[in-house]
Amino acid sequence: MKKEEVPQDLSALGKVTTEVCYATDGSGKYTTEQSKGWDIKITALDAAWQDIEKRIATAREKVTNNEASPLLFFMEKGLMDIDILAGYTGFWKWQIKRHLKPGGFKKLSDKKLKIYADVFEIKPDELKNMRP
């Protein structure tokens, strides 16, 4: 691809970041060029974010229906899974699975709630009441 052919399709991330692409300059040598985006990539990213938004909405609904604890909502919002959350908190995966259930979550000590809240960068009260 020639330097002047590098896509510059503006995406949601285009105002925040650019991507380095390799292209050929006027003399045919490879060089780097900044790209603001590419339609195909923008479409793929938009589809991925729509899926993430659906997962967050589903998690919110489960918490509202008392099928899951607020941890599920904040995990989805933070793009985390149990393995990642275990790494950040130091809790065992089986403990987190128990805390994802409403009954297990209600039994959490203030100390454990604070650990989770710190990971999600919120206050323990916001975690309890699912207020991001």
Side-chain angles (χ1 to χ4, degrees), residues 9-18 35-37:
D9 302 322
L10 192 58
S11 69
L13 295 176
K15 296 177 183 175
V16 179
T17 185
T18 58
S35 172
K36 293 180 184 175

Side-chain angles (χ1 to χ4, degrees), residues 38-107:
W38 188 14
D39 275 337
I40 295 168
K41 197 175 215 177
I42 293 167
T43 303
L45 283 172
D46 287 347
W49 280 113
Q50 286 172 358
D51 181 50
I52 291 166
E53 288 170 2
K54 285 179 188 174
R55 290 178 61 162
I56 292 169
T58 301
R60 180 186 296 275
E61 188 176 318
K62 284 183 177 182
V63 174
T64 303
N65 294 336
N66 204 34
E67 297 170 14
S69 78
L71 283 181
L72 180 64
F73 171 77
F74 286 102
M75 283 174 57
E76 293 292 353
K77 191 170 183 286
L79 304 176
M80 296 182 183
D81 61 14
I82 291 174
D83 290 330
I84 292 171
L85 191 56
Y88 278 114
T89 60
F91 296 137
W92 295 96
K93 289 185 250 183
W94 65 267
Q95 291 175 302
I96 294 172
K97 287 178 186 178
R98 185 187 317 154
H99 300 161
L100 282 166
K101 297 175 185 174
F105 182 79
K106 289 175 185 171
K107 295 177 185 175

